[in-house]
Amino acid sequence: AATGKPDGYVISHIPVTVLRLPFLQKMPYDPLKDFTWIMNVSGFLLGTYVRSDSPFKTFRDMLDFAKANPGKLTYGTAGASTSPHIGMEQIALREGIKWTHVPFTTGIDPNLLGGHIMAAANSSTWWAHVEAGTMRVLCVWTAERNQRIPDVPTLKELGLPFVFDSPFGLAGPKGMEPLVVKKLHDAFKLALDDPKTRELQKKFDFPERYIATEPYQTFVAQQVAEQKDVIEKLGLAKKE
């Protein structure tokens, strides 16, 4: 999408990591200059969870342990610099705590169940384990509680001013004509509003996060600034 012809036939799914990566390593694109932003589609249900026999009954229990035992609490994610990793480190930075990140490409939940890590932060891979009674979700990172686990609080309800839902949208190469962008936006918005799409969104825990073209451009600029600030504060910025 950063190098194709701006004719409307090349578009891409753009996760928030596309906005984050240029601050972590050298990338061949500029997120503010090399894309035509069409719309934000949705995000993910992220959260922090533990084994059901964990001594952490609440997320505050986990924070208190980490504060009293610097570096001893281990948590797994799907990889370094993913949204769950960055989110957990932002929480740690705000709370003045240190915990140990264990990145995985696969096998987060088996390693949690096996006792190799003490907690996990991930998208909602936990349902089967929660329903089986082997895992417990401590908090969700979306703006609202999830209807399937209505007793589980959001980060904001716990006094942490964060919503982490790893938003994703659609973009094409820079220089696309406004009429082409509008046609693409309207077609995808029509599909997004289809009852079957809504049903699938709910089934796979995608929160409603639609943002139209013009406000999406503003949102992307805000996200780029926020990602830069966070990466620098966490000491993860690429070396010039």
Side-chain angles (χ1 to χ4, degrees):
T3 59
K5 293 181 180 180
D7 55 8
Y9 290 96
V10 177
I11 57 175
S12 181
H13 166 274
I14 305 283
V16 73
T17 43
V18 169
L19 311 181
R20 181 184 304 140
L21 279 172
F23 307 112
L24 294 162
Q25 62 194 62
K26 185 174 177 59
M27 298 298 292
Y29 64 85
D30 182 324
L32 294 179
K33 296 178 180 178
D34 292 335
F35 299 102
T36 299
W37 298 96
I38 300 169
M39 62 184 277
N40 196 68
V41 177
S42 186
F44 293 89
L45 171 62
L46 304 178
T48 308
Y49 53 105
V50 294
R51 282 187 0 175
S52 57
D53 60 357
S54 168
F56 308 136
K57 305 302 181 187
T58 67
F59 192 54
R60 182 53 60 182
D61 290 342
M62 184 171 153
L63 294 175
D64 289 345
F65 176 87
K67 191 167 290 188
N69 302 273
K72 289 188 177 181
L73 189 142
T74 56
Y75 75 91
T77 73
S81 303
T82 56
S83 292
H85 172 217
I86 299 299
M88 286 290 283
E89 294 308 313
Q90 283 184 256
I91 293 167
L93 186 65
R94 178 176 174 82
E95 292 291 297
I97 60 180
K98 181 175 177 57
W99 41 35
T100 299
H101 176 228
V102 183
F104 295 94
T105 52
T106 59
I108 302 172
D109 293 346
N111 276 281
L112 178 60
L113 290 172
H116 305 296
I117 50 177
M118 299 169 70
N122 198 22
S123 57
S124 53
T125 59
W126 56 65
W127 289 124
H129 305 294
V130 169
E131 290 165 0
T134 55
M135 285 185 186
R136 177 171 60 252
V137 183
L138 300 181
C139 62
V140 292
W141 296 7
T142 40
E144 308 287 340
R145 293 193 181 200
N146 185 274
Q147 294 180 352
R148 292 174 68 178
I149 40 175
D151 295 334
V152 176
T154 65
L155 290 174
K156 280 197 166 183
E157 289 175 315
L158 296 173
L160 295 159
F162 300 121
V163 172
F164 302 130
D165 60 5
S166 202
F168 60 86
L170 299 170
K174 65 182 178 182
M176 288 172 62
E177 293 291 336
L179 286 176
V180 173
V181 175
K182 184 179 188 307
K183 191 168 186 177
L184 288 167
H185 165 274
D186 292 352
F188 277 102
K189 182 64 167 66
L190 190 65
L192 190 62
D193 289 339
D194 187 282
K196 290 183 179 179
T197 304
R198 295 294 185 195
E199 185 181 326
L200 285 169
Q201 278 191 289
K202 187 174 181 180
K203 178 180 178 180
F204 293 109
D205 303 313
F206 294 133
E208 292 188 16
R209 197 77 149 84
Y210 160 73
I211 305 174
T213 301
E214 191 170 332
Y216 185 41
Q217 294 166 354
T218 302
F219 176 77
V220 166
Q222 292 170 340
Q223 281 290 306
V224 168
E226 288 178 16
Q227 294 297 321
K228 181 177 186 292
D229 182 60
V230 166
I231 294 303
E232 289 177 350
K233 285 181 176 176
L234 295 177
L236 300 173
K238 65 185 178 186
K239 301 294 187 280
E240 298 295 341

